[in-house]
Amino acid sequence: MSTARKLTMAAAIAEAIAQEMERDPEVFVLGEDVAKYGGIFGATQGLLAKFGKERVIDTPISETAFIGTAIGAAAEGMRPIAELMFVDFFGVCMDMIYNHMAKNTYMSGGNLRLPMVLMTAIGGGYNDAAQHSQCLYATFAHVPGIKVVVPSNAYDAKGLMIEAIRDDNPVMFFFHKGIMGLPWMAFFEGSTNEVPTEAYTVPFGKANVVREGSDLTIVTISQMVQKALLAAAKLEAEGISAEVIDLRTLVPLDSETVLRSVAKTGRLLVADEDYLNFGLSGEIAALVAERLDTIALKAPVRRLGVPGVPIPYSRPLEQFVIPQVDTIAAAARQIMGSAAPIGVAA
Amino acid sequence: MSTARKLTMAAAIAEAIAQEMERDPEVFVLGEDVAKYGGIFGATQGLLAKFGKERVIDTPISETAFIGTAIGAAAEGMRPIAELMFVDFFGVCMDMIYNHMAKNTYMSGGNLRLPMVLMTAIGGGYNDAAQHSQCLYATFAHVPGIKVVVPSNAYDAKGLMIEAIRDDNPVMFFFHKGIMGLPWMAFFEGSTNEVPTEAYTVPFGKANVVREGSDLTIVTISQMVQKALLAAAKLEAEGISAEVIDLRTLVPLDSETVLRSVAKTGRLLVADEDYLNFGLSGEIAALVAERLDTIALKAPVRRLGVPGVPIPYSRPLEQFVIPQVDTIAAAARQIMGSAAPIGVAA
Amino acid sequence: MEPTRDQLLWMYETMALIRLYEETMAKVYLEGKLPPHIQKGLAFDIGGGPVPGEMHLAAGQEPVAVGVCAHLHEHDTVVGTHRPHHFAIAKGVPLDTMTAEMFGKVTGLGQGKGGHMHLFDPAHKFSCSGIIGASLPPACGAALAAKMRGKDWVSVAFFGDGAANQGSFHESLNLAALWKLPVIFVCEDNKYAISVEKVDSTSVPWNADRAAAYGIPGVLVERNDALEVFQAAGAAIARARRGEGPTLIEVKTDRYLGHFQGDPEVYRPKGETTELRKNDPIPVLAAQLRRMGLLDDAGEAAVAARVAGQVEAAYAFARASAYPQPEDALRHVFV
Amino acid sequence: MEPTRDQLLWMYETMALIRLYEETMAKVYLEGKLPPHIQKGLAFDIGGGPVPGEMHLAAGQEPVAVGVCAHLHEHDTVVGTHRPHHFAIAKGVPLDTMTAEMFGKVTGLGQGKGGHMHLFDPAHKFSCSGIIGASLPPACGAALAAKMRGKDWVSVAFFGDGAANQGSFHESLNLAALWKLPVIFVCEDNKYAISVEKVDSTSVPWNADRAAAYGIPGVLVERNDALEVFQAAGAAIARARRGEGPTLIEVKTDRYLGHFQGDPEVYRPKGETTELRKNDPIPVLAAQLRRMGLLDDAGEAAVAARVAGQVEAAYAFARASAYPQPEDALRHVFV
Ligand SMILES: Cc1ncc(C[n+]2csc(CCOP(=O)(O)OP(=O)(O)O)c2C)c(N)n1
Ligand SMILES: Cc1ncc(C[n+]2csc(CCOP(=O)(O)OP(=O)(O)O)c2C)c(N)n1
Ligand SMILES: [Mg+2]
Ligand SMILES: [Mg+2]
């Protein structure tokens, strides 16, 4: 049975892939630097040695061709896992992703399955600037046909990756660089946690209440979950009880857990590292705004995200635009002190 | 001075471009089928004859190259207008659009200007299926650095296009095929309206209250404005007074006009033809949810949009997923009859 | 490689079937799209009638489809284009469900969700899309799957002369050459991409010559002729099955109709299609078959009768089928 | 085309400047990134120190930059890559504001918003980006602008061997060839794209041969030598200025350092860089200059002193400059 051991999120992802590759000969991996290098962020570490270069394939810098190749192989029933090194590069291959991978099943009336995973690195915080620091998951959640998975810790990452590989639909799997536990990048320790050795799955569409609280609900995802937990600990000391929800997947989205929590606390803060406008934070706020007949808010909704600017390089600038632990705590305090909504029964 | 004459939106756009090309020799047009054909949707009709093939340039089907070319020419101070034939094709060239066109000014600390327009066709309703019917403007409003302009009628289209050409920033200009007044596609007549002959501008970031009302606010854009107006007329007959707001631009977004209207009516319906999730409708709903300390809602917010599915081909299916005049009217009635929000002052 | 008698007759009959199918579609497509049945002020309503939306027909381009597909088996994969019917028919996609799809019916290949540019038939390993240049990468994927599974299956990506300037062309040819994938890239050079002539889009006369940039064979088929395509494709497919990698084939072919139905064709020299039709590949092949003693008046009449029956049955099936329920639109995003 | 005395000396001194700049950066970059100053458990902290983020250095690749830029004027445009310093320096981007940008300071080219991969200097017509293959399309645009304005200005797109397999390569070369744009495409073949060897990514030995696919000249520079690059670039640029269109040049060059600083280089044969450094192009050019009587001990010392002074001043300027205010992050999305 499961032995207790801690794994980094990178190692957990690589282990999930390895276990599925052992189980199913149709699973294979392709992408830039996934073989000899083991993936720039370690998500494919050790796979080349275990499975050889026929199943762990370094590709040219031809994202359209190799993601399209994954689509074509998946249509034949294989189960490819493609890695797009940084999500920021999606612009060179978005057509394959959203016009084909995402839509072919629908356009075929369900006749065609595309059992594939597209994994990619997200997130800033280490000064990699505007073309290497974005989250962008909302962009993929906006267009239909892609399951959008965004883990916040090693345990979830392993279970969600195995679920993704076994899913008969296209899944995008977003790992934040700052929680991978890389030996060369600062990370949030909460993301390196106990991971069972055996294979297991974490279901899609089930948000995780990672901390219970009664005063306000913080809805978040990915690295921001770790930040929110640290903020919640601070707030606790000040007598504010924050409930923290890790959405885990955006498609499918577990709106019930969000609504239940907000109904309980009466206050909502969305903490996101993607761009603020037209994205995740708006969607979550809207879910609540649509249910104001059953949810009594004690304060207006608040949203945190990158405020309509590209990610700047310089440290003080980047720290300013990406919500930090203190930003979350401050927003929570502000919500607790803010005037109540004035909407009243007619 | 201005003679009263009606123009189709296509003709109005072409006239705007022609007038700016006459005024400024640095303005030029490039794209697929923009020259001999005059643009598949007529947005460049007549330009080749007037300005010759040096300034009205048919390109290969190489969207990355020709949009990148526009970026490079704009960096040199020229004012290119590139046409991406359908927005649905953005996936083959999104990198140029959002990593370069949108970010170079910011990354240069404002040292570099990119005075260019990228225009593109949007919208469904004529059964062109999943890869030729999308709106997707929210995707471009989500990423920073692009002004997002989406006219609903010929008058606005001309003024907004001239404003776009004269703007020193990259502007994306989205025209809905179903309001262009093409001789081969059903269209909404309200979009063909009086257009002055001389050049004029319509400012960005100023929503248009196209119809005043007191019971609910319908926030909308593009072809959906025309649908909303027809719905409002029906509702009027039933004694429901709908205010209709045409956002006209998503970036910059005129949130003040929206909030003022919702504060007045106490009810919000967002009617959108883009995908429902993680998009425009969520953003507008969130704006209101963030201001519930000053806005008293009489009903929960409602959103209409394409509900998380690709656009299906078959007529009954497409009509079902794209909000129609009747869908808007029904949603408005439902809002009027719905329970009031239960949020109360603490 | 010489075609067998069966292959010759199959190519002829399949071309005849495609031609009749396309000509029939050209007529059916107009139903409900012309005055007085449409919105006032319109000359044509693209969204009207039983087959709405864009319609790209392949009359004239039949040799490309049959010359290649004559070599293919059920397990070989074909990825077509926005102009897909000739490929689909040649690959064996059933005419009735394909037609029903274009009528938006629940009996269609995609239950009405895909439409004319999005025909998916996994059983016959056919697919296509409306995005230019999008056929090449997935065809590489099917080929990679065959190779990884140790099969001698091949895949074919068809694409137009316009598509050859998309980045996906370059990326796919490099990848396929590098990995020696069993894929055949077939460029239909009909001299136009909508209104843009090939000479205004392509910096070299022949895309076939671009094969050298990938170290693979490039073959130019100079005539719009089923037998010439057959020869070129035969060699390429055999090479691919032997594990020697991809080939690029370019075929000079002719588009008899507009880019899409309703195309004003202002960009086309008057009378061009009349000229082109003088080299119609179907009578050319018929004449060859007659010379070879494989066809006579009775045989030709029999072919005509068979294809007419098939086409009629397909359209009848499509018309008689039911539309999906509106709420069905919400199904099939995921399996 | 023979380089003038000034050009020779400029190339030598600029290579020396680049090398010292890069070697200095390699050291400065480590400041604040190693234990014990970083988070426990880390061996290296990419986000630490005065110059955080990724850092791609070009030591060894100087000949490509100087051999090309020796021919360029202020009004000519250069678009570089994610490994941009050598190009920027050779194009005349001021060292101080460029360095300040990498330190994230308000005096930087982009007021700290861009960073190492995003150096924009419109005054010297230099830009670059972190996206592979993204240099080619905008370079076509600068060339189109020159052409439309009737200038004999040229533009240069630099890119790596890895980038040559991006779709943008194909699209841009076709477009430039078709429109006879005055652009020079220069491929730096350093045999690697991060860990992936060129032989594992590219289906032909030489990208220069791919020029034939566009009907333009393709030139392979076989040695990592400034004079050889100078020759090839001179012919190409003259051709472009004459209005005869683009050229593709590929230079076999060497990357002495890791792909980025901190790269474990597990993929690289041990001792490879030691071997490569034996052909260091800087002493090679120095020896040539000495043979030509253009350089002696004193001259070499003077160059060394000048470049040391420049580099020292640049880093001092950067260190002494202030950070932008946090709220400045909200400015400059639009002008
Ligand atoms: C990426 C992309 N760009 C543009 C279009 C619009 N478009 C549809 S068909 C076509 C011309 C295609 O020409 P070609 O590849 O030669 O095929 P043909 O129509 O001649 O069969 C264009 C530009 C598209 N569908 N996809
Ligand atoms: C579109 C895109 N894909 C992948 C990357 C990640 N990446 C950064 S540098 C690099 C290798 C580039 O190789 P090459 O073009 O040969 O340049 P070199 O690093 O050797 O100078 C890769 C794959 C990227 N930045 N952009
Ligand atoms: Mg064509
Ligand atoms: Mg390289």
Side-chain angles (χ1 to χ4, degrees), chain A residues 135-152:
Chain A
C135 284
L136 292 174
Y137 32 66
T139 300
F140 301 91
H142 179 56
V143 296
I146 306 168
K147 297 196 180 178
V148 174
V149 176
V150 199
S152 69

PDB file of all heavy atoms in Angstrom, chain A residues 135-152:
ATOM      1  N   CYS A 135      -0.413  32.980 -17.234  1.00  0.00           N
ATOM      2  CA  CYS A 135      -1.202  31.819 -16.828  1.00  0.00           C
ATOM      3  C   CYS A 135      -2.143  31.388 -17.956  1.00  0.00           C
ATOM      4  O   CYS A 135      -2.139  30.246 -18.382  1.00  0.00           O
ATOM      5  CB  CYS A 135      -1.983  32.131 -15.570  1.00  0.00           C
ATOM      6  SG  CYS A 135      -0.916  32.116 -14.107  1.00  0.00           S
ATOM      7  N   LEU A 136      -2.966  32.293 -18.419  1.00  0.00           N
ATOM      8  CA  LEU A 136      -3.745  32.109 -19.641  1.00  0.00           C
ATOM      9  C   LEU A 136      -4.746  30.962 -19.638  1.00  0.00           C
ATOM     10  O   LEU A 136      -5.376  30.675 -20.658  1.00  0.00           O
ATOM     11  CB  LEU A 136      -2.801  31.928 -20.851  1.00  0.00           C
ATOM     12  CG  LEU A 136      -1.989  33.177 -21.251  1.00  0.00           C
ATOM     13  CD1 LEU A 136      -0.986  32.833 -22.356  1.00  0.00           C
ATOM     14  CD2 LEU A 136      -2.910  34.294 -21.737  1.00  0.00           C
ATOM     15  N   TYR A 137      -4.926  30.284 -18.502  1.00  0.00           N
ATOM     16  CA  TYR A 137      -5.856  29.149 -18.518  1.00  0.00           C
ATOM     17  C   TYR A 137      -7.278  29.582 -18.869  1.00  0.00           C
ATOM     18  O   TYR A 137      -8.037  28.809 -19.460  1.00  0.00           O
ATOM     19  CB  TYR A 137      -5.824  28.365 -17.206  1.00  0.00           C
ATOM     20  CG  TYR A 137      -5.531  29.156 -15.948  1.00  0.00           C
ATOM     21  CD1 TYR A 137      -6.419  30.106 -15.482  1.00  0.00           C
ATOM     22  CD2 TYR A 137      -4.360  28.941 -15.233  1.00  0.00           C
ATOM     23  CE1 TYR A 137      -6.147  30.835 -14.327  1.00  0.00           C
ATOM     24  CE2 TYR A 137      -4.076  29.660 -14.076  1.00  0.00           C
ATOM     25  CZ  TYR A 137      -4.979  30.611 -13.630  1.00  0.00           C
ATOM     26  OH  TYR A 137      -4.713  31.326 -12.505  1.00  0.00           O
ATOM     27  N   ALA A 138      -7.616  30.832 -18.545  1.00  0.00           N
ATOM     28  CA  ALA A 138      -8.981  31.279 -18.851  1.00  0.00           C
ATOM     29  C   ALA A 138      -9.230  31.304 -20.358  1.00  0.00           C
ATOM     30  O   ALA A 138     -10.358  31.117 -20.815  1.00  0.00           O
ATOM     31  CB  ALA A 138      -9.239  32.655 -18.255  1.00  0.00           C
ATOM     32  N   THR A 139      -8.180  31.548 -21.118  1.00  0.00           N
ATOM     33  CA  THR A 139      -8.308  31.558 -22.576  1.00  0.00           C
ATOM     34  C   THR A 139      -8.758  30.190 -23.082  1.00  0.00           C
ATOM     35  O   THR A 139      -9.548  30.096 -24.025  1.00  0.00           O
ATOM     36  CB  THR A 139      -6.949  31.942 -23.188  1.00  0.00           C
ATOM     37  OG1 THR A 139      -6.599  33.237 -22.706  1.00  0.00           O
ATOM     38  CG2 THR A 139      -6.998  31.955 -24.709  1.00  0.00           C
ATOM     39  N   PHE A 140      -8.256  29.150 -22.457  1.00  0.00           N
ATOM     40  CA  PHE A 140      -8.609  27.793 -22.882  1.00  0.00           C
ATOM     41  C   PHE A 140      -9.935  27.343 -22.281  1.00  0.00           C
ATOM     42  O   PHE A 140     -10.582  26.437 -22.800  1.00  0.00           O
ATOM     43  CB  PHE A 140      -7.467  26.832 -22.536  1.00  0.00           C
ATOM     44  CG  PHE A 140      -6.183  27.230 -23.198  1.00  0.00           C
ATOM     45  CD1 PHE A 140      -5.283  28.072 -22.568  1.00  0.00           C
ATOM     46  CD2 PHE A 140      -5.906  26.819 -24.493  1.00  0.00           C
ATOM     47  CE1 PHE A 140      -4.108  28.480 -23.198  1.00  0.00           C
ATOM     48  CE2 PHE A 140      -4.755  27.224 -25.133  1.00  0.00           C
ATOM     49  CZ  PHE A 140      -3.849  28.054 -24.494  1.00  0.00           C
ATOM     50  N   ALA A 141     -10.305  27.964 -21.173  1.00  0.00           N
ATOM     51  CA  ALA A 141     -11.606  27.652 -20.575  1.00  0.00           C
ATOM     52  C   ALA A 141     -12.727  28.397 -21.310  1.00  0.00           C
ATOM     53  O   ALA A 141     -13.879  27.976 -21.288  1.00  0.00           O
ATOM     54  CB  ALA A 141     -11.606  28.028 -19.091  1.00  0.00           C
ATOM     55  N   HIS A 142     -12.366  29.501 -21.955  1.00  0.00           N
ATOM     56  CA  HIS A 142     -13.366  30.284 -22.714  1.00  0.00           C
ATOM     57  C   HIS A 142     -13.833  29.520 -23.948  1.00  0.00           C
ATOM     58  O   HIS A 142     -15.018  29.474 -24.244  1.00  0.00           O
ATOM     59  CB  HIS A 142     -12.738  31.622 -23.121  1.00  0.00           C
ATOM     60  CG  HIS A 142     -13.618  32.521 -23.932  1.00  0.00           C
ATOM     61  ND1 HIS A 142     -14.867  32.935 -23.521  1.00  0.00           N
ATOM     62  CD2 HIS A 142     -13.435  33.103 -25.149  1.00  0.00           C
ATOM     63  CE1 HIS A 142     -15.410  33.728 -24.444  1.00  0.00           C
ATOM     64  NE2 HIS A 142     -14.567  33.835 -25.437  1.00  0.00           N
ATOM     65  N   VAL A 143     -12.901  28.933 -24.673  1.00  0.00           N
ATOM     66  CA  VAL A 143     -13.291  28.179 -25.867  1.00  0.00           C
ATOM     67  C   VAL A 143     -13.722  26.776 -25.452  1.00  0.00           C
ATOM     68  O   VAL A 143     -13.128  26.172 -24.568  1.00  0.00           O
ATOM     69  CB  VAL A 143     -12.144  28.119 -26.913  1.00  0.00           C
ATOM     70  CG1 VAL A 143     -11.839  29.517 -27.425  1.00  0.00           C
ATOM     71  CG2 VAL A 143     -10.888  27.486 -26.361  1.00  0.00           C
ATOM     72  N   PRO A 144     -14.757  26.260 -26.077  1.00  0.00           N
ATOM     73  CA  PRO A 144     -15.298  24.967 -25.633  1.00  0.00           C
ATOM     74  C   PRO A 144     -14.470  23.783 -26.118  1.00  0.00           C
ATOM     75  O   PRO A 144     -13.759  23.886 -27.110  1.00  0.00           O
ATOM     76  CB  PRO A 144     -16.673  24.948 -26.298  1.00  0.00           C
ATOM     77  CG  PRO A 144     -16.540  25.825 -27.496  1.00  0.00           C
ATOM     78  CD  PRO A 144     -15.529  26.880 -27.145  1.00  0.00           C
ATOM     79  N   GLY A 145     -14.572  22.685 -25.390  1.00  0.00           N
ATOM     80  CA  GLY A 145     -14.016  21.426 -25.876  1.00  0.00           C
ATOM     81  C   GLY A 145     -12.718  20.977 -25.241  1.00  0.00           C
ATOM     82  O   GLY A 145     -12.163  19.954 -25.633  1.00  0.00           O
ATOM     83  N   ILE A 146     -12.214  21.735 -24.282  1.00  0.00           N
ATOM     84  CA  ILE A 146     -10.959  21.351 -23.632  1.00  0.00           C
ATOM     85  C   ILE A 146     -11.206  21.241 -22.126  1.00  0.00           C
ATOM     86  O   ILE A 146     -11.745  22.166 -21.524  1.00  0.00           O
ATOM     87  CB  ILE A 146      -9.866  22.413 -23.856  1.00  0.00           C
ATOM     88  CG1 ILE A 146      -9.689  22.716 -25.341  1.00  0.00           C
ATOM     89  CG2 ILE A 146      -8.541  21.969 -23.229  1.00  0.00           C
ATOM     90  CD1 ILE A 146      -8.844  23.959 -25.614  1.00  0.00           C
ATOM     91  N   LYS A 147     -10.810  20.141 -21.537  1.00  0.00           N
ATOM     92  CA  LYS A 147     -10.827  20.076 -20.077  1.00  0.00           C
ATOM     93  C   LYS A 147      -9.594  20.799 -19.557  1.00  0.00           C
ATOM     94  O   LYS A 147      -8.497  20.601 -20.071  1.00  0.00           O
ATOM     95  CB  LYS A 147     -10.861  18.621 -19.612  1.00  0.00           C
ATOM     96  CG  LYS A 147     -12.143  17.924 -20.083  1.00  0.00           C
ATOM     97  CD  LYS A 147     -12.412  16.636 -19.359  1.00  0.00           C
ATOM     98  CE  LYS A 147     -13.714  16.028 -19.908  1.00  0.00           C
ATOM     99  NZ  LYS A 147     -14.024  14.725 -19.259  1.00  0.00           N
ATOM    100  N   VAL A 148      -9.798  21.645 -18.586  1.00  0.00           N
ATOM    101  CA  VAL A 148      -8.732  22.536 -18.122  1.00  0.00           C
ATOM    102  C   VAL A 148      -8.394  22.204 -16.669  1.00  0.00           C
ATOM    103  O   VAL A 148      -9.208  22.421 -15.776  1.00  0.00           O
ATOM    104  CB  VAL A 148      -9.167  24.007 -18.278  1.00  0.00           C
ATOM    105  CG1 VAL A 148      -8.140  24.951 -17.658  1.00  0.00           C
ATOM    106  CG2 VAL A 148      -9.371  24.346 -19.762  1.00  0.00           C
ATOM    107  N   VAL A 149      -7.198  21.669 -16.487  1.00  0.00           N
ATOM    108  CA  VAL A 149      -6.774  21.136 -15.194  1.00  0.00           C
ATOM    109  C   VAL A 149      -5.572  21.939 -14.700  1.00  0.00           C
ATOM    110  O   VAL A 149      -4.612  22.120 -15.438  1.00  0.00           O
ATOM    111  CB  VAL A 149      -6.381  19.648 -15.353  1.00  0.00           C
ATOM    112  CG1 VAL A 149      -5.844  19.082 -14.051  1.00  0.00           C
ATOM    113  CG2 VAL A 149      -7.571  18.846 -15.870  1.00  0.00           C
ATOM    114  N   VAL A 150      -5.655  22.414 -13.446  1.00  0.00           N
ATOM    115  CA  VAL A 150      -4.614  23.323 -12.944  1.00  0.00           C
ATOM    116  C   VAL A 150      -4.313  22.985 -11.488  1.00  0.00           C
ATOM    117  O   VAL A 150      -4.851  23.605 -10.565  1.00  0.00           O
ATOM    118  CB  VAL A 150      -5.080  24.801 -13.055  1.00  0.00           C
ATOM    119  CG1 VAL A 150      -3.887  25.740 -12.997  1.00  0.00           C
ATOM    120  CG2 VAL A 150      -5.887  25.071 -14.325  1.00  0.00           C
ATOM    121  N   PRO A 151      -3.429  22.021 -11.255  1.00  0.00           N
ATOM    122  CA  PRO A 151      -3.195  21.565  -9.880  1.00  0.00           C
ATOM    123  C   PRO A 151      -2.399  22.572  -9.055  1.00  0.00           C
ATOM    124  O   PRO A 151      -1.665  23.398  -9.593  1.00  0.00           O
ATOM    125  CB  PRO A 151      -2.376  20.292 -10.063  1.00  0.00           C
ATOM    126  CG  PRO A 151      -1.667  20.487 -11.363  1.00  0.00           C
ATOM    127  CD  PRO A 151      -2.636  21.271 -12.229  1.00  0.00           C
ATOM    128  N   SER A 152      -2.528  22.432  -7.737  1.00  0.00           N
ATOM    129  CA  SER A 152      -1.820  23.330  -6.811  1.00  0.00           C
ATOM    130  C   SER A 152      -0.802  22.602  -5.946  1.00  0.00           C
ATOM    131  O   SER A 152      -0.102  23.227  -5.166  1.00  0.00           O
ATOM    132  CB  SER A 152      -2.826  24.021  -5.890  1.00  0.00           C
ATOM    133  OG  SER A 152      -3.394  23.069  -5.002  1.00  0.00           O
TER     134      SER A 152
END
